Amino acid sequence: DAGVIQSPRHEVTEMGQEVTLRCKPISGHNSLFWYRQTMMRGLELLIYFNNNVPIDDSGMPEDRFSAKMPNASFSTLKIQPSEPRDSAVYFCASSWDRGFHEQYFGPGTRLTVT
Amino acid sequence: SQQGEEDPQALSIQEGENATMNCSYKTSINNLQWYRQNSGRGLVHLILIRSNEREKHSGRLRVTLDTSKKSSSLLITASRAADTASYFCATGGSYIPTFGRGTSLIVHP
């Protein structure tokens, strides 16, 4: 198995532009998590999906952030419009079931908004 | 909040020495997990200890859990330069994991 796949690995964009981050979880996993990591705030959970349904999005910072999971093998995190304070590393992780199980993290997308 | 907090924030040791890092949390948990993050990489799961377990081993890793003190420790024995990384504890009561800020470990060859 290739593990969790994220794209792009690096994204540099200008303030005000739309950014879309993509994630392919491990096949067979039915829980998917989006995290944001910064030096200031550490690792923050943004949203959690189970069986493609958003269960908890209380970590999404503002309406500029949205996430979708149209099927079991694909999820997107969109920021529109982007701002410099959105600069961070965004991780996608998946696990095999609902509940607090071992999570498998992708390599992350390093987003820089200028 | 169930957020785990690791201590110390940074640890620097020589190869061959043992490294101990601690995690404290605030509310009851179902289990506690430790992860490693190498620079520029995603987190990698190391070990999970359930709330009814007191100690668990995996290779050179030893994890203890004291639910009465709401704390856990991760011991890495006979450290290697390759163990240089950040180590995070994650606590969870249901399905929402909460990660601490991590301990940055540097092992000097």
Side-chain angles (χ1 to χ4, degrees):
Chain A
D1 196 323
V4 176
I5 299 172
Q6 290 187 248
S7 64
R9 293 294 310 278
H10 301 274
E11 177 79 33
V12 180
T13 190
E14 292 183 348
M15 181 175 63
Q17 297 298 308
E18 175 179 299
V19 175
T20 299
L21 312 182
R22 298 172 175 78
C23 174
K24 176 179 168 55
I26 292 173
S27 177
H29 285 189
N30 62 15
S31 290
L32 184 139
F33 304 81
W34 281 101
Y35 293 90
R36 177 172 70 177
Q37 186 177 40
T38 61
M39 290 294 292
M40 289 291 291
R41 301 174 69 90
L43 192 66
E44 303 172 278
L45 176 65
L46 300 178
I47 188 169
Y48 159 62
F49 289 89
N50 181 252
N51 289 327
N52 312 337
V53 176
I55 301 299
D56 191 316
D57 65 355
S58 60
M60 296 286 264
E62 351 179 340
D63 292 345
R64 298 185 297 105
F65 286 69
S66 62
K68 294 183 179 180
M69 192 163 186
N71 56 62
S73 59
F74 185 65
S75 176
T76 59
L77 178 68
K78 184 178 293 186
I79 308 172
Q80 165 67 15
S82 58
E83 296 182 4
R85 60 193 168 117
D86 301 331
S87 296
V89 181
Y90 291 80
F91 289 103
C92 174
S94 68
S95 67
W96 67 276
D97 199 3
R98 188 178 178 122
F100 186 40
H101 302 287
E102 173 182 351
Q103 295 190 22
Y104 294 79
F105 281 74
T109 294
R110 181 172 295 278
L111 172 65
T112 302
V113 184
T114 60
Chain B
S1 166
Q2 298 183 71
Q3 183 176 25
E5 291 293 339
E6 295 88 348
D7 172 68
Q9 291 187 348
L11 184 59
S12 181
I13 61 175
Q14 294 295 127
E15 205 166 32
E17 295 180 341
N18 294 343
T20 299
M21 50 206 86
N22 304 294
C23 170
S24 60
Y25 56 93
K26 296 178 181 177
T27 62
S28 61
I29 58 172
N30 289 342
N31 66 63
L32 184 145
Q33 302 177 31
W34 285 92
Y35 289 78
R36 183 188 73 230
Q37 184 179 30
N38 290 90
S39 180
R41 302 286 189 89
L43 279 71
V44 174
H45 183 266
L46 294 176
I47 197 164
L48 180 155
I49 186 164
R50 302 189 190 286
S51 59
N52 61 354
E53 298 177 309
R54 291 299 167 257
E55 188 171 312
K56 203 160 183 180
H57 297 256
S58 177
R60 293 181 299 110
L61 305 181
R62 173 177 169 251
V63 170
T64 62
L65 179 64
D66 187 333
T67 53
S68 67
K69 295 181 179 178
K70 292 186 171 54
S71 67
S72 173
S73 67
L74 170 67
L75 168 68
I76 304 174
T77 60
S79 64
R80 305 167 182 169
D83 295 327
T84 293
S86 291
Y87 292 82
F88 296 86
C89 70
T91 55
S94 55
Y95 52 79
I96 301 296
T98 307
F99 286 82
R101 301 299 297 269
T103 291
S104 175
L105 173 66
I106 297 175
V107 182
H108 299 280

